[in-house]
Amino acid sequence: MRRSEHRREEDALLRDSARRFLEDTNAWSPTRAGDPQARWRAMAELGWFALGLPDALGGIGGDPAQCMVILEEAGRVLDDAPLLAGLLLAPPVLAALPLEAAQPLADGLQAGSVRFAYVPDAGLRLGEGATLLSGRSRLALGIDLATHWIVPVGSGSANGAALLLLPASAAAARDGTVLMDGRTAAALTFADLPVAPDAVVARGEAAFELAALIADAAAVGASAEALGAADAGLALTVSYLKDRTQFGAPLASFQAVQHMMAESFCEIAQMRSLLMWAADALAGPAGERARAASALKAYAGVQGLRAVARCIQASGGIGVTQEYRIGHVYKRLQTHAALFGSTQEHLARFGAAA
Amino acid sequence: MRRSEHRREEDALLRDSARRFLEDTNAWSPTRAGDPQARWRAMAELGWFALGLPDALGGIGGDPAQCMVILEEAGRVLDDAPLLAGLLLAPPVLAALPLEAAQPLADGLQAGSVRFAYVPDAGLRLGEGATLLSGRSRLALGIDLATHWIVPVGSGSANGAALLLLPASAAAARDGTVLMDGRTAAALTFADLPVAPDAVVARGEAAFELAALIADAAAVGASAEALGAADAGLALTVSYLKDRTQFGAPLASFQAVQHMMAESFCEIAQMRSLLMWAADALAGPAGERARAASALKAYAGVQGLRAVARCIQASGGIGVTQEYRIGHVYKRLQTHAALFGSTQEHLARFGAAA
Amino acid sequence: MDTFFSDAEQAFRAEVRAFIRANLPADLAARVRAGIHLSRVDMARWNAILDAKGWAAHHWPQAYGGPGWTPIQRFLFEAECADADAPPLSVFGVYLVGPTLYTFGSAAQKAAYLPGIRSGDTFWCQGYSEPNAGSDLASLKTTARKVEGGYVIDGAKAWTTEGHFADYMICLARTNPQVKPQAGLSLFIVDMTAKGVSLQPVITIDGAHSVNTTFLDAVFVPDDALIGEVDKGWTYAKFLLSHERTNNAQVHRSRREFTRLKDLARQVAGPAGGSVLDDPVFQRRFAALDVELSALEVTVLRVLADQTDGREPGPEASILKVIGSELQQRISELAMDVLGEEGIRQSHGQVDGDAGPAATEAAGWAERHLFRRVVTIYAGANEIQKTIIARTVLGM
Amino acid sequence: MDTFFSDAEQAFRAEVRAFIRANLPADLAARVRAGIHLSRVDMARWNAILDAKGWAAHHWPQAYGGPGWTPIQRFLFEAECADADAPPLSVFGVYLVGPTLYTFGSAAQKAAYLPGIRSGDTFWCQGYSEPNAGSDLASLKTTARKVEGGYVIDGAKAWTTEGHFADYMICLARTNPQVKPQAGLSLFIVDMTAKGVSLQPVITIDGAHSVNTTFLDAVFVPDDALIGEVDKGWTYAKFLLSHERTNNAQVHRSRREFTRLKDLARQVAGPAGGSVLDDPVFQRRFAALDVELSALEVTVLRVLADQTDGREPGPEASILKVIGSELQQRISELAMDVLGEEGIRQSHGQVDGDAGPAATEAAGWAERHLFRRVVTIYAGANEIQKTIIARTVLGM
């Protein structure tokens, strides 16, 4: 949050280069690269997956705030690449592995050949001497592209928790779907899948803590994407309002419209503040981290969504057409409001922690 | 709610005459009558207390909607006369008494010499063979002026409930206060007060039902006053905004101000709809009556208050001065939001009943 | 709200309910429950059933084939239809074009068009709004030039809902460019199969096709396609827009959706065990919404009671669109919160049987929720409605 | 928010906390907890204690007696003061007049007035707004006419908070009626005991007297009462208004009130048994408010970090007043809901001891709640702030 001048300059350079790449290659771009895997490797070549990795694994320092720059920029163009898991969640998982197991994965991550998906826990359990995995997950993003799955099990309590890293070839029934915002996702169902010992990253207290960190990081990262989307949506709307004339004057000149956009601006600025706090807190103690993550997630799910709804309203009819971008921004925020814990769950957790 | 043309004409006449009287004699009027008892008798002479009384007791038919006309008009001028109990609550209590006991009270009510106060239950109980009254009430309005107290006891359940009619000379510790809106009120504490058999209007199921009716009627009547206050407050504000020039134009010409007032208008119109439903439902079955009363009370406590807060905001600095009326309207609505069951209590009850 | 209705009205309601129960096809009701954009065939089927009973044009005068109901009876009829998940009648034909024709149309127009609207054989769309005039109807650019035996219409119309299966458009076009903007407009009936009419589908935010842009390229319409007098179209259009204001409240549909959502919340697992509706926070949100919906129901009834008794509509008529549309959005927003992850899935793995109520109903709710952003924009954006309330009701 | 602060800043915070704990008189803290309008004596006492430590003018440059703190240190100092229920420093003297004088005043003015502001010996009030110019400062009517050796000021000033115990007013008056409205204004120091100055108390909605209307009837001020250059007053005043924007957020006071309210909610009986805070609906409302307050705290810190690092303030500085004032109101609205009937009592029967926390704290909350309506109006009404955000930040 309080970044040195040096870090701020680095952030700006990173933002510029990410924005250029993403704008040139995203789904809204006419020059989009067709092959998701090739595009992913191009991202890897830009060094994005080194940002969050520790030095020991060949990364450049593990700064969540820089990962947020990427995610925010990806959100701006409504990118559908499942960046979150590789950028934010893989680093702590790899750091928890023995170096000899972690290094090849870290190398692959940075090369773009190893791609992670986060499979959120919704009552997964290990039976039979903690070797057989059963149960159903919540919706997981990026299952189609992933080579490895990050799977927290029994993460509701330290007792019996485990954090698994499974190959994407593992047997699981995929209840796949296209999400409201057009991305694909799937809930995985495991039926007594044998889990090899080396697939277990952590057990017990350590797994519980790692799963909590990952869940918080996912909530924060998803909100960073939402923030980017909302911020770009506001800019798009304001620009449209300046051009569009109704009743003999630009829409942007009407006081009611001005106030609507000012309110959305306030909400997005507050959301950015919460993101800065949460990004900072990801590296800190679990209590404040959880509070900050839940505050951000809850705010994004209510006020963030409302800020974008107001943009649709101010845009008028065009705002509700499929071809115009603001509706897609709304769908992205609505989608993120449902993923990684609902607004009410996060609000309840935030309240209970205070 | 669906009143015949004839009834509507009657209502209009009643409204005009009540408004004239109230505007001439209320606390904001320069010609205000100084003596509250004399003013009360003048109200009685206008026939107000006959409106809600049944024919059998010399009244004119027991129409709650007409009583609401009076209460709404009293609210418009922020009258501090405790009309609610005499207009709305006394009639069902008197109707539950034997005729020979009820008639003198009904006569006195209509003459202005018998004045009721409603003492809401907050854990009152009858001990020692149901003859000794103990416990503390909620805040009661009009204790200073009253000759009789309507006191529901144990009204949380039919088992052990009683409805008492006590003379105001009964021994009770009065924890009196000036309310936020300037009226006086008191919580009464009884300590083993002997209750004469003829002070018991009803017991058990009958008392429980009567207490529920009275509680609902109080919530509705208080909201009728709040509606009158809010409606007059909006009119005052709109009129001020048309006069007041800022930035070279009347405040009323600014779009943001127009929309604020339109929103308040919407809320007040919706509140009126709920009042019409609730007034109607007072004469109907207990289930719908409770639902309608709670809907109105909850709405008045949130949206009603918000409608008036917006009037203060639009008025600017003058709106927060003691000498200007809109702040007093706000205090009246805030006071009524706390009396006769809070917004959250009513909302919870409404939700549970649905 | 039962206290509001007389015994005769309650009996009427029971009769309507019995008729619907006996005559509404179950598959039609199921489709209404599942989605929002019905096909022409779906709507026509129900229209024909009602027409056979004499109830299709239920708010038209008896002289034009209406059943002669009071506004309150219409309210009850619509409430029962919504409760039973009956398809809505075509907004444009039955609600807007019919009243315009029987009020301003010629005898020949009435004879030619009203029966088809009643029976559901013909469908209509509306040609008011234009690509460059959203809520600002006075700035319309479409022109109708007088020629021998008729007019030639040129221009484009935006947001022509159901235009792709409509037979006719009721079209506002400028016949006189010399006078001030509102004065030179006329109202025409345009045959959608006429030469020069073409449509471009507009896919809306929910991914569905119910709206179009309609291009009118030198479309000839005969003289008898003009409704009423030339240059008076603005007056007729305003009449049309204000005529069915209570319809804009959509109060029956909202009540039905609210009830269904509450049922759903009873069945969906909540975050803290039990159902969503066992969560006091959700309970209170449902209650707060129910309070506002109840208020709106009474407000609609107040407006209808004025109509029944022949009084001028009170100022409360002006708030129906604003409040009604906001409540529609709040219901679907609450639905998304109730549904959680199920609400953002466009498909569900096991919808056949044991997937649970959330999975079965989720897609419909999500589509409605997205499309619902439109209700505060169309039929005069709510900001415009608020300005109208401030100016006309409050005199600001 | 601890992750935001460096170890050195955390140590500074501990030092401040220890000092306050050792030096803040308990009776003063109790009065702050109980009400809102403090007397001059109350404020001066705490001001003097801080001044003795060199901390009174904590955001002034060291050259003028400030402690040389960074903006973040000031944030922490203010947070600790609020947490401890220390009286606020005089907004006008320390926050507004001091910076104006050391930025635009003459050497003689600095020497004459700054020490008294620091020590709390002199109090100031603000003479900007006028009875007929609420948020529209450009339309001011008060005039200052040049005469031999000084100026003669005529006019009236509205909303002079603390005017009845202020020693001086900083007064904006029109010196040149020929130029466009903003250009002809000058800024003067007016001695409140000067001939021609009279006050009329304005009782506010909470029944208290903290505000006045000040009449200036041919008040003579000497030439050296002019601040900076003649006709440049508008520039100085705007500087003044924008200088302490973070102060407008009132974030420390709001956090303290929030914490106190939550403590109170733990002790007040709730409707369903247990405490108010055992009610999940209240829990969630507290949480939602806490989220927004946390966001505001970070937003303030972002603005301060920019100041610390010498960057131009970002656009987020413009939202502080709007968000901060709305949150202040929402906290006191929640307080009224927590307090129920206790909240509308102006007096309490048994405040000595066993009346419970609701009774002891209710009067203060109610007064604050009422007075709180003013915060979205003063210092530029929030509607004006939103217009400014739209125009200057969004370029609309």
Side-chain angles (χ1 to χ4, degrees), chain D residues 26-68:
Chain D
D27 65 313
L28 218 45
R31 260 203 298 297
V32 168
R33 266 194 298 281
I36 51 161
H37 297 297
L38 292 182
S39 75
R40 169 169 178 157
V41 174
D42 288 333
M43 286 193 277
R45 238 172 102 200
W46 177 235
N47 216 110
I49 292 168
L50 290 178
D51 190 46
K53 176 82 175 168
W55 288 359
H58 60 80
H59 61 320
W60 295 10
Q62 278 179 287
Y64 302 109

Side-chain angles (χ1 to χ4, degrees), chain D residues 129-392:
Chain D
S129 210
E130 295 188 0
N132 288 308
S135 290
D136 179 11
L137 287 184
S139 71
L140 297 183
K141 297 270 181 296
T142 296
T143 59
R145 187 168 40 87
K146 185 74 188 91
V147 295
E148 178 68 33
Y151 295 82
V152 172
I153 302 181
D154 275 287
K157 291 292 174 183
W159 316 118
T160 34
T161 301
E162 299 174 5
H164 51 300
F165 57 71
D167 303 293
Y168 301 101
M169 167 186 279
I170 187 157
C171 175
L172 202 54
R174 189 166 300 286
T175 36
N176 187 344
Q178 314 296 342
V179 292
K180 65 172 185 167
Q182 288 92 332
L185 298 167
S186 302
L187 204 54
F188 295 95
I189 296 164
V190 176
D191 186 329
M192 293 296 280
T193 63
K195 186 162 169 298
V197 177
S198 61
L199 275 87
Q200 184 180 302
V202 173
I203 307 302
T204 41
I205 186 172
D206 55 335
H209 173 211
S210 63
V211 176
N212 307 273
T213 303
T214 305
F215 298 97
L216 301 156
D217 184 13
V219 177
F220 174 81
V221 297
D223 278 326
D224 61 9
L226 174 70
I227 298 175
E229 294 176 49
V230 75
D231 291 359
K232 292 275 177 68
W234 178 250
T235 316
Y236 308 153
K238 266 194 0 198
F239 167 85
L240 214 78
L241 291 174
S242 69
H243 189 74
E244 278 296 330
R245 277 199 285 197
T246 56
N247 190 46
N248 281 334
Q250 290 288 346
V251 72
H252 306 296
R253 184 188 290 198
S254 288
R255 171 57 73 189
R256 176 62 182 150
E257 284 189 2
F258 180 84
T259 306
R260 282 181 54 198
L261 181 59
K262 203 164 167 185
D263 284 345
L264 185 61
R266 264 187 261 276
Q267 300 167 62
V268 173
S275 78
V276 164
L277 206 62
D278 290 330
D279 177 346
V281 176
F282 272 100
Q283 274 171 25
R284 218 62 64 86
R285 280 179 73 189
F286 270 96
L289 203 46
D290 196 353
V291 165
E292 297 205 46
L293 195 52
S294 302
L296 182 64
E297 285 168 330
V298 182
T299 305
V300 168
L301 284 168
R302 285 167 64 195
V303 173
L304 294 175
D306 282 344
Q307 281 182 22
T308 304
D309 300 346
R311 287 186 298 274
E312 285 294 299
E316 60 278 2
S318 63
I319 74 171
L320 297 175
K321 159 72 189 352
V322 173
I323 306 272
S325 57
E326 286 174 0
L327 287 181
Q328 282 183 281
Q329 289 182 343
R330 282 177 51 196
I331 291 168
S332 78
E333 284 162 6
L334 180 54
M336 295 310 293
D337 286 348
V338 166
L339 285 163
E341 282 195 353
E342 292 294 338
I344 58 167
R345 295 184 75 122
Q346 292 198 2
S347 58
H348 297 267
Q350 313 128 307
V351 184
D352 41 22
D354 61 347
T360 350
E361 297 200 21
W365 280 109
E367 264 183 44
R368 272 195 296 277
H369 171 64
L370 293 173
F371 191 68
R372 210 41 71 75
R373 299 302 341 155
V374 85
V375 300
T376 47
I377 295 172
Y378 67 21
N382 282 19
E383 288 73 28
I384 291 175
Q385 302 290 342
K386 288 180 189 172
T387 299
I388 292 172
I389 292 169
R391 293 201 186 147
T392 63

Side-chain angles (χ1 to χ4, degrees), chain C residues 219-288:
Chain C
V219 176
F220 174 80
V221 297
D223 278 328
D224 61 7
L226 174 71
I227 298 175
E229 294 176 49
V230 74
D231 290 0
K232 292 276 177 68
W234 178 251
T235 316
Y236 307 153
K238 268 196 357 197
F239 167 85
L240 214 78
L241 290 174
S242 69
H243 189 74
E244 279 296 331
R245 277 199 286 197
T246 55
N247 191 45
N248 282 334
Q250 289 289 348
V251 72
H252 307 297
R253 183 188 292 197
S254 289
R255 171 57 74 189
R256 175 63 183 148
E257 285 189 2
F258 179 85
T259 305
R260 282 180 54 197
L261 181 58
K262 204 166 166 183
D263 285 345
L264 185 60
R266 263 186 263 274
Q267 299 167 62
V268 174
S275 79
V276 165
L277 205 63
D278 289 332
D279 177 347
V281 176
F282 272 100
Q283 273 171 27
R284 216 63 62 86
R285 280 179 73 190
F286 271 97

Side-chain angles (χ1 to χ4, degrees), chain C residues 224-373:
Chain C
D224 61 7
L226 174 71
I227 298 175
E229 294 176 49
V230 74
D231 290 0
K232 292 276 177 68
W234 178 251
T235 316
Y236 307 153
K238 268 196 357 197
F239 167 85
L240 214 78
L241 290 174
S242 69
H243 189 74
E244 279 296 331
R245 277 199 286 197
T246 55
N247 191 45
N248 282 334
Q250 289 289 348
V251 72
H252 307 297
R253 183 188 292 197
S254 289
R255 171 57 74 189
R256 175 63 183 148
E257 285 189 2
F258 179 85
T259 305
R260 282 180 54 197
L261 181 58
K262 204 166 166 183
D263 285 345
L264 185 60
R266 263 186 263 274
Q267 299 167 62
V268 174
S275 79
V276 165
L277 205 63
D278 289 332
D279 177 347
V281 176
F282 272 100
Q283 273 171 27
R284 216 63 62 86
R285 280 179 73 190
F286 271 97
L289 203 46
D290 196 352
V291 165
E292 297 204 47
L293 196 51
S294 302
L296 182 64
E297 286 168 329
V298 182
T299 305
V300 168
L301 283 167
R302 285 166 64 193
V303 174
L304 294 176
D306 282 344
Q307 282 182 21
T308 305
D309 299 348
R311 287 186 297 272
E312 286 294 300
E316 60 279 1
S318 62
I319 73 171
L320 296 176
K321 178 2 174 77
V322 173
I323 307 273
S325 57
E326 287 174 359
L327 287 181
Q328 282 183 279
Q329 290 181 341
R330 282 177 53 197
I331 290 169
S332 77
E333 285 162 7
L334 180 54
M336 295 311 293
D337 286 347
V338 167
L339 285 163
E341 281 194 355
E342 292 293 338
I344 57 167
R345 295 183 75 122
Q346 290 198 3
S347 59
H348 298 269
Q350 314 130 308
V351 184
D352 42 22
D354 59 348
T360 348
E361 297 201 21
W365 279 111
E367 267 184 41
R368 273 195 296 277
H369 171 64
L370 292 173
F371 191 68
R372 209 43 70 74
R373 298 306 335 158

